[in-house]
Amino acid sequence: MMDMNKILLIDDEEDSLDGLSLSLKNEGYDVISASSGKEGLDAFEREAPSIVLTDLNMPGMDGIAVLKRVKNRNPDTEVIVITGHGDMDSAIDALRYGASDFITKPVREEALHLALQRAREKLIIRERFRAYTADLENMCHIAIGEVKRKSDFQDKLITSSNDGVVATDEDGRIIIFNPEAEAIFGIPRINVVRKLDFRQLFPSQIADLFSQMFGSGRGMRDVGWRDVMIPRKGGDDVPTRFSGTLLFDGEDIIGSVGFFQDLREIKRLEKELVKSERLAAIGQTVARLAHYIKNILAGLKGGTYVVNIGLDKNDTDKLRTGWQMVERNVGRISYLVTDLLAYSKEREPEYRKCLPNDIAEDVCELLDRMAMENRIKVERGFDPSIKEVSMDPDMVHSTLLNLVSNAVDACIFDLDEKKRHTVRVGTQLEDDNVIRFTVNDNGCGMSEGTRNKIFSAFFSTKGGKGTGLGLLVVQKLVQEQNGSIEILSELGEGSTFIVRLPYGKVE
Amino acid sequence: MSKRVLTVDDDPDIIMFVKTVLEENGYIPLIAMNGETGLSIARDEGPDLIILDVLMPKQSGIRMYRELKGDDALKDIPVIILSGIARRTFLRSQEALTEFGDQPVPEPEVYMEKPVEPAELAEVIADLIDRS
């Protein structure tokens, strides 16, 4: 802050100088007096007053010369000149050279007071203006710093992004190509930025979409995530996920940006997962098989033991019972082997003339006894309009046998003893040469978790009593017959399996 | 007087096997094909030993075991679990039921995994019956 109380007073007339000095001091100013222009300038250099009051008419260096030198040294100094009475020309001269005001001799107190007040006001305004400007500059500096920081941050963000980022200007020329993009495309940035157009870089699949987007004005603004292969010269193509968007400033397209996610690592992990899942499935398969075989072995062991007792004691009853046990378990092994073979071997259907309702009836009869022992009713609902058709009867039989015995098991395993358990087996002629087989039960039903796993190898909810192959075999058989399978099930309510199989007409 | 042994299993082969082992060793076999029947025979007859399969339809083996061990009149009858599943799987299923709020039950006196040798089974039976 400058000292606005300091006034340099220059006048060659002794009386005038003293008189003015006195009256200024009375007003509270800090007055420096000089009796010539030369002396005044020296004092100005030394004291740096903010207001100079100088007589114009002085011998040697006159007031105009002092004014010019002072203004030259410090243009902010307020210079008030004192002119002789009626000397308007000098006063105008002085104003032209930058004097802020003039007063005439003899100097009247009020005029002096007013001139000084104006000078001080000007000084204050100028001071405020300077502070304001400094503030403004400071703020401007801070703002620029912030903008730069943000831009640096965005730069770093783009540079260190895990996505390949490729941005273009409004003409499609590439202006940003980050390190990850370099890694995906296998081209150094320097060969791309401002050298290539997206049409030259992107695979045609997305280059075409981008061209459309640029051409559509505001119609199409972005390209959603999709899988894109990036061809690489002399290397494997790179699988990526891509999405892109146009950049707008208001209504104008100012460029575009595309994001590429490198999927190589993910694909590699997926492959590994598939492999490890297969290994796990094999391990599970072996464990399940071993378990199932262990059960059969228990039966066989029991059988041979009873046979041996029968032999030792010559007891025909024991011999017969033991032998039945052995036979039953031999039967179980052959079922297992049949299931395993059916599951693992490809088999083309062998079409023959057959009656689908008879096949369904045969399956029901096979399971009737077991159902009855467990107080389960097997109901038939066969469509009488189904006549002789051409199908693979063995495949139809295996399919239905698996489904109906599952339905019976679902009732046996049901914890709800108040239910009257029923298995319904139905056939229905559908359009397009298709027969619909429906197997419905009101047994234990399936949870969603179970429902999702029923077609996995060796999945079984029957403990050691199921091979975990039945539904897999069904699925495979249905596929081989070009049919379809549909499952409706609710935990505690029961399940319905609907199998649709196409048939050939019989002449 | 001959000791009576109840065997509960839904697999007729196992029933026949165990029954023969029992007869050969001088015990009187009692037979049930499921847990419900098994429990009512146990209550009516008060056998000296129970041989129980845990993996039967409707969880009846697991349930029957809990009923036996939770019943003051029955809980002192020794039990042999004869099962196709591993011992730790059986114990885990019992723990799970306990976590669901049932009373905890003691572990079975003997746990045997199928298939079991007739001589081994006979030995274990004799052991438990003599002990009681």
Side-chain angles (χ1 to χ4, degrees):
Chain A
M1 200 66 198
M2 65 169 70
D3 182 2
M4 281 194 294
N5 270 342
K6 203 183 257 185
I7 292 184
L8 173 59
L9 179 62
I10 313 170
D11 200 332
D12 61 320
E13 288 170 47
E14 201 87 12
D15 292 347
S16 174
L17 187 64
D18 289 347
L20 279 173
S21 175
L22 195 65
S23 76
L24 287 172
K25 275 178 183 158
N26 278 344
E27 283 205 39
Y29 288 101
D30 177 11
V31 183
I32 305 140
S33 300
S35 55
S36 73
K38 174 81 180 61
E39 199 186 315
L41 280 178
D42 288 344
F44 181 77
E45 292 288 338
R46 199 175 55 242
E47 304 280 347
S50 51
I51 300 171
V52 176
L53 196 61
T54 180
D55 188 17
L56 275 185
N57 192 13
M58 291 186 292
M61 187 183 278
D62 69 2
I64 294 287
V66 170
L67 167 65
K68 283 183 186 167
R69 295 281 286 276
V70 165
K71 279 290 179 187
N72 192 33
R73 293 301 293 180
N74 182 1
D76 289 345
T77 317
E78 291 293 317
V79 181
I80 301 164
V81 296
I82 305 165
T83 67
H85 185 70
D87 191 1
M88 242 344 143
D89 289 346
S90 305
I92 289 167
D93 247 10
L95 291 177
R96 191 175 296 141
Y97 286 118
S100 44
D101 210 345
F102 67 93
I103 49 179
T104 52
K105 277 188 175 176
V107 175
R108 286 186 300 128
E109 289 269 341
E110 307 89 85
L112 180 64
H113 182 78
L114 215 62
L116 283 172
Q117 200 178 353
R118 276 208 295 267
R120 280 169 64 104
E121 273 166 12
K122 270 195 201 161
L123 281 169
I124 288 168
I125 288 169
R126 198 178 294 129
E127 181 68 18
R128 277 192 192 150
F129 186 69
R130 187 181 297 116
Y132 179 70
T133 309
D135 244 23
L136 204 64
E137 275 171 1
N138 195 26
M139 273 152 64
C140 207
H141 189 73
I142 291 170
I144 287 169
E146 180 69 9
V147 167
K148 187 167 160 8
R149 209 176 57 76
K150 278 209 168 132
S151 138
D152 283 354
F153 177 73
Q154 278 165 4
D155 244 23
K156 287 209 177 77
L157 206 64
I158 291 170
T159 308
S160 56
S161 168
N162 280 332
D163 288 359
V165 178
V166 181
T168 74
D169 61 13
E170 71 270 30
D171 299 320
R173 205 163 54 140
I174 289 157
I175 50 171
I176 291 176
F177 194 73
N178 74 345
E180 187 57 29
E182 288 182 320
I184 289 172
F185 285 89
I187 314 171
R189 180 178 181 279
I190 195 159
N191 295 350
V192 177
V193 168
R194 295 187 197 287
K195 292 195 174 125
L196 291 185
D197 187 282
F198 70 81
R199 294 164 194 90
Q200 296 161 285
L201 180 75
F202 289 177
S204 58
Q205 178 194 354
I206 49 173
D208 292 351
L209 284 168
F210 257 55
S211 297
Q212 274 177 41
M213 206 160 69
F214 269 99
S216 76
R218 299 178 53 84
M220 182 177 151
R221 302 188 74 140
D222 46 36
V223 175
W225 289 105
R226 64 198 60 211
D227 287 347
V228 173
M229 287 302 270
I230 304 296
R232 291 271 294 261
K233 277 190 197 114
D236 291 339
D237 291 356
V238 177
T240 65
R241 284 283 284 164
F242 169 82
S243 94
T245 183
L246 285 183
L247 302 174
F248 287 90
D249 181 15
E251 299 292 301
D252 304 322
I253 295 176
I254 55 166
S256 74
V257 62
F259 301 96
F260 295 85
Q261 292 175 347
D262 191 339
L263 299 183
R264 278 177 292 190
E265 183 64 9
I266 292 171
K267 296 272 182 206
R268 193 183 65 73
L269 289 173
E270 271 175 3
K271 259 188 210 152
E272 248 174 38
L273 189 68
V274 167
K275 195 176 154 199
S276 65
E277 270 178 356
R278 210 186 56 228
L279 286 175
I282 290 171
Q284 233 173 28
T285 303
V286 171
R288 287 266 181 197
L289 258 182
H291 186 77
Y292 189 67
I293 291 171
K294 201 168 72 177
N295 274 328
I296 298 173
L297 196 60
L300 280 176
K301 267 199 167 162
T304 51
Y305 170 73
V306 176
V307 167
N308 281 331
I309 301 277
L311 285 175
D312 287 350
K313 305 213 164 148
N314 225 351
D315 180 338
T316 331
D317 274 356
K318 277 264 179 314
L319 203 54
R320 190 176 295 117
T321 310
W323 191 244
Q324 278 169 356
M325 288 163 73
V326 172
E327 277 183 334
R328 197 156 44 226
N329 284 288
V330 169
R332 284 169 83 186
I333 292 180
S334 68
Y335 278 132
L336 175 66
V337 172
T338 311
D339 267 4
L340 278 173
L341 286 179
Y343 170 53
S344 57
K345 252 205 315 209
E346 298 286 320
R347 173 151 142 14
E348 284 294 310
E350 289 165 18
Y351 295 105
R352 292 199 306 271
K353 279 192 262 182
C354 60
L355 290 159
N357 287 347
D358 284 3
I359 299 172
E361 176 57 35
D362 189 41
V363 168
C364 291
E365 277 171 19
L366 274 175
L367 292 163
D368 261 340
R369 203 174 68 92
M370 210 227 301
M372 218 148 61
E373 280 170 6
N374 289 284
R375 294 193 297 274
I376 300 159
K377 208 173 159 210
V378 180
E379 283 182 2
R380 283 87 155 156
F382 302 148
D383 183 349
S385 66
I386 300 175
K387 306 294 180 207
E388 199 173 41
V389 296
S390 170
M391 291 179 103
D392 182 324
D394 295 338
M395 280 187 162
V396 175
H397 193 274
S398 305
T399 306
L400 286 179
L401 186 61
N402 267 306
L403 291 179
V404 180
S405 60
N406 273 350
V408 170
D409 285 344
C411 294
I412 294 177
F413 276 79
D414 191 10
L415 294 171
D416 186 349
E417 273 139 32
K418 276 167 275 173
K419 269 193 217 166
R420 294 168 58 90
H421 285 120
T422 309
V423 173
R424 292 187 186 81
V425 183
T427 61
Q428 181 75 45
L429 196 62
E430 287 200 340
D431 299 339
D432 307 322
N433 295 344
V434 168
I435 292 172
R436 186 180 72 207
F437 297 89
T438 309
V439 179
N440 162 273
D441 68 73
N442 62 347
C444 56
M446 289 181 276
S447 68
E448 198 172 329
T450 303
R451 164 77 190 75
N452 290 337
K453 279 189 283 193
I454 54 172
F455 290 121
S456 349
F458 296 97
F459 174 76
S460 176
T461 54
K462 302 178 194 170
K465 275 147 195 154
T467 53
L469 284 171
L471 281 175
L472 265 180
V473 171
V474 167
Q475 189 187 38
K476 190 171 155 292
L477 288 172
V478 169
Q479 272 166 10
E480 281 167 354
Q481 297 169 91
N482 288 318
S484 68
I485 184 160
E486 192 185 323
I487 298 143
L488 310 164
S489 184
E490 205 168 315
L491 192 63
E493 299 295 321
S495 307
T496 305
F497 284 72
I498 299 165
V499 172
R500 292 182 169 83
L501 298 175
Y503 65 87
K505 285 210 165 63
V506 174
E507 299 308 311
Chain B
M1 189 187 147
S2 290
K3 303 278 187 180
R4 287 167 313 156
V5 178
L6 169 62
T7 175
V8 187
D9 203 304
D10 64 326
D11 185 337
D13 295 340
I14 301 296
I15 291 276
M16 188 50 66
F17 167 69
V18 176
K19 178 174 172 270
T20 309
V21 171
L22 291 172
E23 284 169 352
E24 289 307 305
N25 289 278
Y27 304 109
I28 297 168
L30 304 170
I31 288 165
M33 297 286 281
N34 60 56
E36 292 79 12
T37 319
L39 206 59
S40 69
I41 292 178
R43 291 208 170 101
D44 295 348
E45 308 277 336
D48 299 286
L49 174 73
I50 296 171
I51 301 174
L52 174 63
D53 178 22
V54 281
L55 216 65
M56 290 189 287
K58 305 176 191 181
Q59 299 178 14
S60 69
I62 292 169
R63 280 182 178 182
M64 178 176 168
Y65 182 73
R66 298 187 78 82
E67 297 262 351
L68 284 175
K69 292 299 170 188
D71 188 326
D72 281 342
L74 301 173
K75 69 175 194 297
D76 295 327
I77 302 176
V79 174
I80 298 174
I81 296 283
L82 181 60
S83 173
I85 60 170
R87 182 170 184 273
R88 61 169 194 283
T89 312
F90 168 76
L91 292 178
R92 213 183 303 136
S93 71
Q94 292 292 346
E95 275 166 26
L97 285 173
T98 303
E99 275 165 28
F100 276 110
D102 283 14
Q103 287 299 311
V105 287
E107 288 185 21
E109 279 71 13
V110 176
Y111 194 99
M112 299 179 91
E113 274 183 54
K114 294 176 191 171
V116 61
E117 294 295 332
E120 194 191 345
L121 182 60
E123 203 177 303
V124 169
I125 294 168
D127 219 37
L128 283 175
I129 285 187
D130 291 348
R131 206 204 294 167
S132 61

